[in-house]
Amino acid sequence: MTAQQATIGEVFSAGAEEFHRWSPLLWDRVGQATAEVSAPALGERVLDACCGAGASALPAARAVGAGGLVDAVDLSGALVALGERRAGQEGLAGLRFHQHDVTSWAAPEGGYDLVQCALGVFFFPDMDRDTAKLAGLLRPGGRLAVTVWEKGALGGWGQAFKSAVEREREWPGSSQSAQLARIDTSDTLAAWLEGLGLSDARVVRRDLAVPVTPATAWDLAVGSGTRALLDGLAPAAVERVRAHFTAALEASGVTDLDVRILTGTAVA
């Protein structure tokens, strides 16, 4: 596990409580939308990469049934624990959660029927190389499904947070943003999937209405990858960021998160 990946896992573990408060509001809806496109079938073997608290792994496990298998893998131990608890509450014995680096995960004999990754590939150290590794875990004819943010999604929320952070520190560039920018349209996502050596790439766009308040907007900021932008700031500075963030949301009239996602599928 690289230092970069460990940092990502730690960031999401530190914000696990706030992350999970957003599960019914956003993550579970994105996960369900992903599973509707990836279409896990009865008895299939599925790898859910970057699984978080199980947003897409849970509907996959329901779909494959008792005769199927879902391996859900994430770097964040806190989110994996949440997922295990949720799977236990539903009695989904075929859903197994693992705290592990999914880019070094091994497939079962014969490979997976489906590998899916919702809002995760742009966090990989090398998106092309590491997603190709995931595709390599598929059986011949197996499917890869990848969900990403569409270009411009979360714009009002993101601009308000950026303006607030910049009052305390310079806004850093990130490899995650650069990687996402390469695949954030239907055309570029489909071309990227085929560039990995896959075929029959298709993309489905979804627009989800997600109301947001200043309180839930802050939970999202500290319960997702953006939490890393607050690391190293003194508590008083973090509170100033929150105050400026809230003011910016109210000044811009942001009451909806503007959730737009793309789910691309392709065949090995």
Side-chain angles (χ1 to χ4, degrees):
M1 185 179 300
T2 68
Q4 181 187 10
Q5 290 173 307
T7 299
I8 292 169
E10 290 165 2
V11 165
F12 278 93
S13 286
E17 180 180 344
E18 293 87 354
F19 180 99
H20 194 41
R21 284 205 284 267
W22 267 94
S23 286
L25 302 173
L26 176 60
W27 308 128
D28 287 351
R29 296 176 65 190
V30 171
Q32 180 63 42
T34 298
E36 287 171 3
V37 177
S38 66
L42 198 65
E44 286 193 322
R45 296 186 295 186
V46 178
L47 172 63
D48 191 283
C50 308
C51 65
S56 51
L58 289 162
R62 297 178 199 123
V64 302
L69 167 70
V70 177
D71 284 317
V73 182
D74 200 279
L75 286 167
S76 169
L79 294 184
V80 163
L82 284 169
E84 288 178 330
R85 187 178 73 195
R86 299 176 77 191
Q89 289 169 346
E90 289 197 41
L92 297 171
L95 173 52
R96 307 183 303 193
F97 282 85
H98 314 267
Q99 183 184 3
H100 199 279
D101 177 359
V102 76
T103 67
S104 62
W105 188 255
E109 185 176 355
Y112 288 103
D113 300 291
L114 168 66
V115 173
Q116 61 182 21
C117 185
L119 305 179
V121 295
F122 43 85
F123 284 107
F124 290 156
D126 184 319
M127 185 173 70
D128 298 352
R129 177 198 68 199
D130 296 330
T131 308
K133 288 181 181 177
L134 294 185
L137 304 180
L138 291 165
R139 63 166 176 78
R143 295 108 59 210
L144 176 70
V146 172
T147 295
V148 300
W149 301 113
E150 186 180 41
K151 184 176 183 178
L154 313 182
W157 172 87
Q159 286 301 316
F161 186 67
K162 183 175 185 289
S163 67
V165 170
E166 286 180 329
R167 288 175 173 265
E168 301 294 331
R169 63 167 30 145
E170 183 178 355
W171 184 264
S174 74
S175 61
Q176 292 89 5
S177 296
Q179 293 192 136
L180 174 59
R182 294 175 45 219
I183 55 171
D184 62 1
T185 70
S186 293
D187 288 345
T188 56
L189 179 56
W192 176 72
L193 289 169
E194 294 195 346
L196 297 176
L198 304 171
S199 63
D200 195 24
R202 303 179 183 183
V203 177
V204 175
R205 180 186 183 276
R206 291 289 299 273
D207 191 338
L208 305 177
V210 182
V212 67
T213 67
T216 60
W218 182 251
D219 276 349
L220 182 60
V222 297
S224 64
T226 50
R227 184 186 183 97
L229 297 165
L230 304 174
D231 283 354
L233 293 180
V238 173
E239 283 305 309
R240 289 194 297 270
V241 170
R242 180 172 185 167
H244 290 306
F245 178 48
T246 298
L249 288 172
E250 293 175 343
S252 300
V254 176
T255 58
D256 184 272
L257 197 58
D258 188 19
V259 174
R260 287 174 279 129
I261 57 173
L262 304 171
T263 300
T265 59
V267 178

